Amino acid sequence: MRHFYICLLLLGFLPVSALASGDKGTKDIYTEQYIADIYMDEPKRALQLLNEAETKQALPIYMVDGLRSMVYSHLYQDKSAFHYARRAYVHDSISGNHPDHLLKMTITLADLSHTLSEYKESNRYAVEGLELARRLNDREAECKLLFCMGENKWMLSLKDEGYEFFDKAIALLDTTEDVKNKSMLSYFYGVKMGYLINDNRLEDALQIGLQREKLLDGMKGNPEVREAFLDQQYGYVYSKLSRICHLLGDVERGKEYHKKYQSTHAYNTPAGKRDATPYLLVTKQYQAVLDHCRDFKELMRRQDTLNIQYVGVLQREIDAYLALKEYEKVAALRASILSITDSIYRRDKTNAALELDNLYEVNEKEARIAEQAFQLTIRTITLVFILCVSLLSLFFLWRMWVQNRKIKRKNQVLVERINEQMSMQTKMNRLQADAERVSEDQPFPETEQTESEASDGDEEEVEMNKIIFGKLDYIIKRDNLYLSADISREELARMVKMNNTRFARMIKENTDTNLNGYLNNLRLNYAMHLLKEHPEYTLRAIAEASGINSMPTFHQLFKARTGMTPSEFKNTEKELRK
């Protein structure tokens, strides 16, 4: 009944053009408006279109789920409706791009939770939605949520708090001039009136009914309000006011409201006659009760609809037959009620099982889709990672190629320069050798001095040292003394008849290095000569032949001298020869 009443309320203030679905082209069927137009008459087709819209991405997924929730709610499949409303709610909450739709889904979840008797959860959604409605300045949504909170409180036996929330919602709409809000206010009055009657607060229910009547009087003549809607609303309020007045002892006023009810078009419908039976029962018009119930029962039978409303009609017939003391018919009707109740229970149980099965299939489908999406994401990430690694590898290979070309070019320049230097050094060695042959047989002059007699600034000594070094340098190169790893400073000093101090000073003055540096330079020159003339020799063989027994030392000295390793020098020399 809750779903049906809300639908009637919404339909009451929609213009006729919005309710009639015209001929739609294929391109227009995947729209929110078209689905909203057809879902009441063709719910299965609406669901099919929504599935297609999701597959074709014709509508955003949050909108598809919201519309699915609306269709399933119309089909009384509240669990499915809640499932899809919850999906839309989660999507809207995460994206944060559609606050209006999020508010709509929050209201839907609050209403569905109430329908599913989850009153605390409904209240939680209502509180959350209330905050959002106030932030968006949406008074209509605020009213709905306040009223929903009132219903939850009432169902949780917090009735005074519930009526406070009813009054807050009604107060927000009490001075409204908007037709839509007035229609909502009429609905609020009707629901609150029903709760008051259930609590036997008839005086309060009467006041609410009178306020609702006054509200409907004010809506007369408004072109935005359909006459059928007003007639229906008047029927609801008159049927309740007639019974309340009679129970309060105002019999004449009760009759007057019953006559008003009889003057409405709603009264002449089977549902309208059913709504008149509470008044007829309290006024002891039992035969009229039976006649009115008969019409509604015929309608139910034609529609093959056996539900709680039908059971309620049978119960009113029982009350009438009890008053008429026709106990056999009472017994038969009670047996029918038991049979129908059992049938409804089995049907509801079957429907619940089918709905849960549908939800399970939906969840399984979503799980498979999520798994496929996850695998696709993993594959995509893997491909992107491989692509990035490949590109990075290519980049490093390119950088290495460029660097190698730079190194190769630098090495070529260095080798060419070294070859020029070696060529010049060879010419100088020849000239020195020619000059030294003249005095080749002359011995080294006597130069023995004590440490105290040595003088660093003696020009005569410097000149003498230069002559002696030239002769020594010639002998070392001629006899390849530098190729011996065991040659010592003492041996050479004795050869030139110098003490160690002056010998070291002589080497420093003429080579700008010490004895080891001087000998190593000669050894490296010889090593480079071997690398050029004998590329087939191994590096170790060349190092040992040059008087350097340690390969690390050979590499270190060669790198410091030439700016490249022996291998790079050897390879570059080969390339230059090609």
Side-chain angles (χ1 to χ4, degrees):
M1 187 63 185
R2 182 183 178 90
H3 301 81
F4 181 69
Y5 203 177
I6 293 175
C7 289
L8 290 176
L9 171 65
L10 296 175
L11 292 174
F13 57 79
L14 286 175
V16 177
S17 59
L19 298 173
S21 59
D23 294 334
K24 299 282 183 178
T26 303
K27 64 179 181 179
D28 297 326
I29 63 176
Y30 301 118
T31 63
E32 183 179 14
Q33 182 60 51
Y34 185 69
I35 300 297
D37 287 343
I38 69 167
Y39 83 96
M40 287 189 177
D41 297 326
E42 302 177 80
K44 291 185 178 179
R45 182 164 180 262
L47 290 174
Q48 180 184 351
L49 290 176
L50 288 171
N51 290 337
E52 294 173 2
E54 180 181 8
T55 303
K56 297 179 179 180
Q57 298 183 341
L59 287 173
I61 186 62
Y62 72 90
M63 188 179 293
V64 171
D65 286 336
L67 291 170
R68 279 175 175 150
S69 176
M70 179 180 69
V71 177
Y72 280 116
S73 181
H74 174 68
L75 293 171
Y76 294 91
Q77 296 185 21
D78 296 318
K79 291 180 181 177
S80 295
F82 183 90
H83 170 76
Y84 286 109
R86 174 70 185 173
R87 283 208 334 181
Y89 165 86
V90 170
H91 185 280
D92 291 338
S93 298
I94 293 173
S95 69
N97 297 326
H98 313 285
D100 292 331
H101 194 265
L102 173 61
L103 177 58
K104 181 179 178 182
M105 290 299 99
T106 307
I107 294 172
T108 301
L109 288 171
D111 183 63
L112 288 169
S113 297
H114 179 89
T115 303
L116 293 167
S117 301
E118 299 289 344
Y119 305 120
K120 290 184 179 180
E121 185 173 3
S122 173
N123 222 46
R124 182 177 66 80
Y125 282 119
V127 171
E128 181 183 333
L130 190 62
E131 182 182 348
L132 180 58
R134 287 170 177 168
R135 193 161 64 244
L136 297 176
N137 197 26
D138 191 330
R139 174 169 290 193
E140 179 184 341
E142 184 179 354
C143 293
K144 290 178 181 178
L145 291 164
L146 284 171
F147 205 83
C148 181
M149 291 171 70
E151 291 186 281
N152 291 328
K153 294 289 186 180
W154 195 92
M155 296 302 297
L156 291 169
S157 298
L158 302 171
K159 296 186 177 181
D160 290 338
E161 292 184 33
Y163 285 119
E164 287 178 9
F165 279 107
F166 291 154
D167 293 339
K168 287 180 181 179
I170 290 172
L172 286 175
L173 298 174
D174 205 21
T175 58
T176 185
E177 295 299 327
D178 182 72
V179 173
K180 184 178 179 181
N181 289 338
K182 284 185 176 181
S183 302
M184 187 188 304
L185 181 58
S186 176
Y187 168 70
F188 287 170
Y189 280 145
V191 175
K192 182 180 179 182
M193 192 176 178
Y195 284 122
L196 289 168
I197 292 172
N198 286 336
D199 289 337
N200 204 31
R201 295 172 56 177
L202 299 180
E203 290 286 353
D204 293 333
L206 176 62
Q207 294 303 316
I208 291 295
L210 294 175
Q211 289 178 7
R212 189 179 190 187
E213 182 184 19
K214 183 179 178 180
L215 174 67
L216 295 173
D217 290 340
M219 295 174 68
K220 278 184 179 179
N222 192 322
E224 296 182 42
V225 182
R226 294 194 306 167
E227 288 295 328
F229 171 73
L230 272 179
D231 182 81
Q232 186 184 64
Q233 295 293 297
Y234 272 123
Y236 288 145
V237 70
Y238 289 154
S239 65
K240 290 181 174 63
L241 285 174
S242 60
R243 178 170 176 264
I244 292 171
C245 289
H246 187 87
L247 290 173
L248 290 172
D250 195 344
V251 177
E252 292 301 321
R253 195 175 184 186
K255 288 180 180 180
E256 182 181 342
Y257 275 120
H258 185 64
K259 287 180 181 179
K260 287 183 178 181
Y261 183 34
Q262 288 176 319
S263 67
T264 64
H265 294 292
Y267 175 81
N268 295 314
T269 64
K273 290 185 176 181
R274 177 205 61 195
D275 291 340
T277 55
Y279 172 77
L280 296 175
L281 279 171
V282 297
T283 57
K284 301 181 180 181
Q285 301 180 53
Y286 303 122
Q287 190 58 49
V289 171
L290 296 174
D291 294 338
H292 282 47
C293 288
R294 189 180 303 113
D295 292 340
F296 189 77
K297 285 168 64 178
E298 289 299 322
L299 175 65
M300 292 291 103
R301 290 193 183 101
R302 286 199 302 271
Q303 295 182 350
D304 193 24
T305 304
L306 296 178
N307 52 28
I308 298 300
Q309 291 178 336
Y310 188 81
V311 172
V313 171
L314 294 181
Q315 187 59 53
R316 288 170 189 172
E317 283 187 320
I318 288 174
D319 294 338
Y321 281 125
L322 279 172
L324 295 172
K325 298 182 180 180
E326 298 186 24
Y327 301 115
E328 291 184 3
K329 291 183 179 179
V330 170
L333 287 171
R334 284 178 175 169
S336 297
I337 288 177
L338 288 174
S339 176
I340 293 170
T341 303
D342 184 62
S343 174
I344 291 172
Y345 173 76
R346 289 197 304 271
R347 183 189 65 191
D348 289 345
K349 191 174 181 180
T350 302
N351 289 340
L354 290 173
E355 187 174 359
L356 288 174
D357 186 59
N358 289 335
L359 280 176
Y360 177 77
E361 290 182 1
V362 169
N363 290 332
E364 283 291 302
K365 179 182 177 183
E366 290 176 356
R368 288 195 298 271
I369 292 173
E371 179 65 22
Q372 292 172 358
F374 176 75
Q375 293 297 333
L376 181 61
T377 302
I378 293 297
R379 285 197 294 270
T380 303
I381 292 174
T382 303
L383 290 174
V384 171
F385 176 75
I386 292 173
L387 179 61
C388 291
V389 170
S390 300
L391 291 175
L392 195 61
S393 300
L394 289 174
F395 174 74
F396 280 119
L397 288 173
W398 175 78
R399 287 294 301 270
M400 289 174 62
W401 179 78
V402 171
Q403 188 68 17
N404 288 336
R405 282 184 60 86
K406 288 182 179 179
I407 293 173
K408 187 180 293 186
R409 180 58 186 160
K410 181 199 73 172
N411 289 345
Q412 289 177 349
V413 172
L414 288 174
V415 169
E416 289 174 353
R417 187 177 300 170
I418 289 170
N419 288 338
E420 292 176 2
Q421 291 175 354
M422 290 179 66
S423 177
M424 292 177 61
Q425 186 65 40
T426 301
K427 292 179 181 179
M428 291 177 63
N429 289 340
R430 288 197 190 109
L431 293 174
Q432 182 185 14
D434 293 340
E436 292 296 335
R437 284 194 192 98
V438 177
S439 58
E440 185 175 2
D441 297 330
Q442 297 179 3
F444 287 99
E446 295 289 338
T447 58
E448 288 293 336
Q449 293 181 349
T450 64
E451 293 294 332
S452 59
E453 293 174 339
S455 172
D456 291 339
D458 192 335
E459 293 182 2
E460 182 179 349
E461 180 186 310
V462 170
E463 187 65 28
M464 179 62 70
N465 286 346
K466 183 176 181 181
I467 294 171
I468 293 172
F469 175 77
K471 188 173 183 65
L472 177 63
D473 182 58
Y474 169 71
I475 294 172
I476 289 174
K477 290 176 180 177
R478 182 193 66 188
D479 298 338
N480 291 331
L481 299 179
Y482 58 87
L483 298 181
S484 173
D486 299 327
I487 190 170
S488 65
R489 181 176 65 173
E490 289 74 12
E491 183 179 350
L492 293 175
R494 285 195 300 272
M495 185 184 298
V496 296
K497 301 176 182 178
M498 286 185 180
N499 58 40
N500 290 339
T501 302
R502 182 172 177 181
F503 182 80
R505 188 163 57 246
M506 178 189 71
I507 296 298
K508 178 70 174 177
E509 289 173 356
N510 290 276
T511 64
D512 288 329
T513 184
N514 56 24
L515 179 62
N516 285 335
Y518 164 68
L519 293 175
N520 286 335
N521 280 334
L522 295 177
R523 290 164 179 164
L524 291 174
N525 288 340
Y526 186 74
M528 286 186 279
H529 171 74
L530 292 178
L531 287 169
K532 289 178 61 177
E533 298 299 327
H534 301 282
E536 71 278 8
Y537 286 6
T538 64
L539 294 179
R540 178 172 292 279
I542 290 174
E544 291 177 352
S546 302
I548 303 174
N549 295 330
S550 171
M551 285 301 295
T553 302
F554 179 58
H555 277 273
Q556 182 180 359
L557 293 173
F558 201 97
K559 178 77 173 179
R561 167 74 183 276
T562 65
M564 68 187 88
T565 65
S567 299
E568 290 174 341
F569 182 90
K570 185 177 181 180
N571 294 332
T572 304
E573 187 66 37
K574 286 181 181 179
E575 290 179 1
L576 290 175
R577 289 184 178 185
K578 291 180 180 179

